[in-house]
């Protein structure tokens, strides 16, 4: 397995969800991140700002090594889809990432695996990196494997196999989102191993070795080190505990140190 670990670049992202919705705070936040993370090249970094502040984020980060993108895109490039956000707009502002299938979108907007599949395809066709969110609810906790397998295979059905290795899987157990603590290290490590096994079973060893699987759900500077200490965890997807740019930077440092020391 060592060879695969060497091949995968760690990744740390943050979604600001709908917490920071005005231009002033977002400019302040992204400016600080840019200064703090200057020169970091061993780990891929990305930010998903609140959708209404994407343009300001782009203006701040376009000349930095921090990537940015949208928390959602419509499943079509354009057309009669009132209220949706088009990948054409994302491309125009220079975004290179898109978050797809977050638990909150599945829950509040009834996003289905079929819609998620169309969004992933659209992203890959347009060279935008999809951060494909998967994760079991508390009710499925006793047998998450079959649930994860269904999310993965339905979400990726018909996707160009030459592009599958670009996907970043964000494993986010729904019951660990918005909590005081993340899932336990053992639980996370076991789930990541299962996800890699599922990818291998359906898409082959080569793709399983290459795809990055990051963990999200109450990640903090206190738990990030333990979370990424397993070879199947390639980084973290941060939420609330990264709202302080210094905390986000501490998480980035921890992940970079642990993943590049191997
Ligand atoms: P949280 O959000 O860290 O605030 O729990 C994580 C997520 O939903 O990606």
């Amino acid at each position: 397995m060592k060879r695969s670990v060497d091949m995968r670049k760690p990744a740390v992202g943050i979604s600001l969800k709908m917490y920071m919705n005005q231009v002033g705070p977002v400019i302040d936040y992204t400016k600080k991140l840019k200064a703090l993370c200057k020169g970091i090249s061993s780990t891929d970094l990305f930010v998903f700002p609140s959708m209404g502040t994407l343009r300001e984020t782009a203006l701040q980060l376009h000349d930095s090594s921090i990537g940015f993108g949208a928390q959602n895109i419509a499943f079509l490039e354009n057309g009669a889809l009132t209220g949706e956000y088009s990948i054409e707009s994302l491309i125009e502002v220079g975004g290179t990432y898109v978050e797809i299938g977050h638990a909150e979108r599945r829950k509040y907007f009834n996003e289905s695996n079929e819609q998620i599949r169309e969004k992933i395809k659209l992203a890959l066709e347009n060279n935008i990196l999809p951060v494909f969110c998967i994760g079991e609810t508390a009710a499925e906790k006793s047998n998450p494997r079959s649930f994860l397998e269904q999310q993965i295979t339905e979400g990726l059905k018909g996707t160009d196999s030459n592009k599958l290795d670009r996907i970043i899987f964000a494993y986010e157990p729904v019951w660990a989102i918005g909590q005081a603590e993340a899932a336990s290290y053992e639980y996370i490590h076991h789930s990541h191993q299962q996800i890699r096994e599922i990818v291998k079973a359906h898409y082959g060893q080569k793709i399983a070795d290459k795809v990055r699987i990051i963990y999200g759900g109450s990640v903090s500077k206190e738990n990030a080190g333990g979370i990424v200490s397993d070879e199947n965890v390639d980084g973290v997807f941060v939420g609330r505990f990264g709202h302080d740019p210094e905390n986000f930077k501490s998480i980035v440092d921890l992940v970079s140190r642990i993943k590049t020391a191997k």
Side-chain angles (χ1 to χ4, degrees):
M1 268 315 252
K2 178 101 174 73
R3 88 203 127 83
S4 53
V5 173
D6 293 340
M7 273 161 48
R8 295 194 296 267
K9 190 171 179 184
V12 177
I14 180 163
S15 167
L16 298 175
K17 303 196 181 186
M18 212 178 71
Y19 282 112
M20 226 180 273
N21 308 314
Q22 285 157 337
V23 170
V26 169
I27 291 182
D28 188 46
Y29 182 78
T30 45
K31 263 192 179 148
K32 283 185 182 147
L33 270 199
K34 187 171 155 177
L36 285 166
C37 298
K38 197 170 174 206
I40 294 175
S41 58
S42 59
T43 298
D44 282 338
L45 307 178
F46 58 89
V47 178
F48 293 124
S50 176
M51 295 292 272
T53 62
L54 202 42
R55 186 166 290 276
E56 285 70 33
T57 301
L59 288 171
Q60 293 306 318
L61 297 182
H62 72 96
D63 59 350
S64 81
S65 57
I66 305 174
F68 60 90
Q71 296 175 10
N72 176 42
I73 46 166
F75 57 82
L76 294 177
E77 263 159 323
N78 55 45
L81 287 173
T82 301
E84 281 294 304
Y85 182 77
S86 167
I87 194 167
E88 293 178 343
S89 306
L90 179 61
I91 293 166
E92 189 177 36
V93 293
T96 51
Y97 289 82
V98 64
E99 181 177 2
I100 297 177
H102 187 273
E104 287 147 20
R105 293 214 52 87
R106 293 179 191 260
K107 179 175 173 192
Y108 299 120
F109 304 98
N110 298 320
E111 211 165 88
S112 65
N113 289 335
E114 290 70 29
Q115 286 173 358
I116 287 165
R117 172 195 306 163
E118 295 310 311
K119 295 178 185 199
I120 291 174
K121 276 196 211 158
L122 198 56
L124 289 171
E125 279 162 15
N126 286 281
N127 278 327
I128 301 286
L129 282 184
V131 177
F132 175 22
C133 301
I134 53 173
E136 76 284 1
T137 61
E140 290 119 8
K141 210 173 158 184
S142 58
N143 183 18
R145 185 178 172 127
S146 63
F147 185 79
L148 292 169
E149 186 158 28
Q150 188 177 0
Q151 282 190 330
I152 293 170
T153 54
E154 289 185 7
L156 298 183
K157 200 169 169 185
T159 304
D160 181 352
S161 57
N162 293 318
K163 294 186 171 148
L164 276 179
D165 59 5
R166 306 192 65 214
I167 292 171
I168 298 178
F169 289 88
Y171 170 60
E172 304 204 307
V174 179
W175 49 273
I177 294 173
Q179 304 299 313
E181 303 282 342
S184 73
Y185 300 147
E186 296 71 24
Y187 193 96
I188 295 170
H189 299 167
H190 181 65
S191 297
H192 278 240
Q193 185 195 352
Q194 304 241 298
I195 293 165
R196 210 172 290 285
E197 277 174 22
I198 293 167
V199 174
K200 182 182 159 190
H202 290 272
Y203 313 107
Q205 180 83 55
K206 241 168 120 178
I207 289 170
D209 279 348
K210 269 185 104 176
V211 292
R212 289 176 287 179
I213 310 171
I214 62 176
Y215 169 82
S218 307
V219 173
S220 66
K221 63 179 168 28
E222 286 75 27
N223 60 30
I227 290 171
V228 300
S229 64
D230 183 85
E231 63 177 352
N232 283 309
V233 185
D234 302 301
V236 286
F237 193 18
V238 185
R240 291 156 299 145
F241 302 133
H243 287 183
D244 176 340
E246 302 273 355
N247 287 349
F248 183 77
K249 171 65 165 39
S250 303
I251 294 171
V252 170
D253 284 344
L254 271 167
V255 173
S256 302
R257 184 148 34 87
I258 293 168
K259 299 316 286 184
T260 53
K262 290 204 173 179

